[in-house]
Structure formats: C-alpha cells, structure tokens
Amino acid sequence: MKRTASMRKMLGMATVAFFSNPRKGTSLLLLSLKFNPLVARIALFHTQISTNPFAPDTLAQMGPTQIQKLLSEKQKLGFDKLDHGLSLFRRMVQLRSRLSVINFNQLLTAVAKMKQYSTVVSLFAQIRELGVPIDEYT
C-alpha cells in the first residue's frame, strides 16, 4: 500500500486522452504525465493503432467466430470498399472447412448491396469450384 501511495506522489497527475477515427481505421492515444508539481509537464506521446478489420494482419488472425460477426454486420450494410469484401472472401476460402454456406451467402449479399453484381457472379463461380456446398439461397 505504501508503494502505491509513494508512486502516486511521484507521478502527481496523469491525463489520458483517446481519439478514434473509424473511417481511417486509426486511433490516437495521448498521455500527459506530471511527475512533480515543481517540474513542468513532459511531452505527449502517441501511438497509431490499426482498427481496420480488413487490414491483412488483422484478417489473417481472424477465426471463424470473428468472421461470422463481421459478416453479420456487413450483410446488413454492405462493404465500404469492394477490396474489403474480396479480402474477406480470400480469408474465408482459407477457413472454408470451418465456415458454413450461410457465411458465404452473407458475403455474397454484402457485395450485392454494393451493386457489384458481376463480382457476385464471379465469387459464386469460385465458391462452386472450391466445392463449398450451396443451397437455394446461394
């Protein structure tokens, strides 16, 4: 307990601010520490954090559960960019044994909401070639 109290005394005051821009997929974390009332505040530092779920490193780490959640959202709204849908499709192909036909249907629906009908037909053909089972909704 003494250690915590002395640390508080030493640190004095800390200010943290977090700013996020979902459109750009970035966040900014600002931290201002005041070590001692007699010493001026020190410089702020920041870090860029990727919040874009379609970034290659983020997609590569996604498992079936995260993909299903993302598809549920994108099925209603569509993708912001066609490349996002195609990147997700490539990841889904890697995990196809752990995803259902419903997930592929959701992807096709999201791309169709973007009015990219020729892309939907092309993705459907690839789904058939890969042997992913289809149903009457596909």
Side-chain angles (χ1 to χ4, degrees), residues 9-53:
K9 234 183 217 182
M10 185 175 74
L11 289 175
M13 176 185 248
T15 307
V16 177
F18 181 74
F19 303 93
S20 179
N21 185 341
R23 286 192 175 177
K24 290 187 178 179
T26 60
S27 300
L28 180 65
L29 175 68
L30 298 174
L31 176 65
S32 171
L33 296 175
K34 184 177 170 185
F35 285 105
N36 190 314
L38 302 174
V39 180
R41 289 186 181 197
I42 61 171
L44 300 175
F45 73 91
H46 72 279
T47 181
Q48 290 281 333
I49 303 169
S50 175
T51 55
N52 179 0

Side-chain angles (χ1 to χ4, degrees), residues 23-126:
R23 286 192 175 177
K24 290 187 178 179
T26 60
S27 300
L28 180 65
L29 175 68
L30 298 174
L31 176 65
S32 171
L33 296 175
K34 184 177 170 185
F35 285 105
N36 190 314
L38 302 174
V39 180
R41 289 186 181 197
I42 61 171
L44 300 175
F45 73 91
H46 72 279
T47 181
Q48 290 281 333
I49 303 169
S50 175
T51 55
N52 179 0
F54 301 103
D57 56 335
T58 307
L59 268 178
Q61 295 175 4
M62 278 189 170
T65 306
Q66 292 93 355
I67 288 176
Q68 289 166 351
K69 287 179 185 176
L70 185 59
L71 284 169
S72 178
E73 175 189 327
K74 294 302 176 186
Q75 173 187 343
K76 297 172 191 163
L77 305 172
F79 292 100
D80 296 330
K81 298 179 181 177
L82 180 59
D83 286 343
H84 293 169
L86 298 176
S87 296
L88 185 57
F89 177 76
R90 285 189 292 274
R91 178 63 179 145
M92 289 174 67
V93 166
Q94 293 172 346
L95 298 172
R96 70 178 172 262
S97 64
R98 297 177 11 198
L99 294 170
S100 73
V101 65
I102 294 169
N103 303 130
F104 284 93
N105 290 345
Q106 289 173 320
L107 178 89
L108 295 176
T109 300
V111 174
K113 287 199 180 208
M114 298 176 66
K115 301 183 189 311
Q116 297 289 330
Y117 306 117
S118 61
T119 304
V120 172
V121 172
S122 174
L123 292 175
F124 175 74
Q126 289 180 48

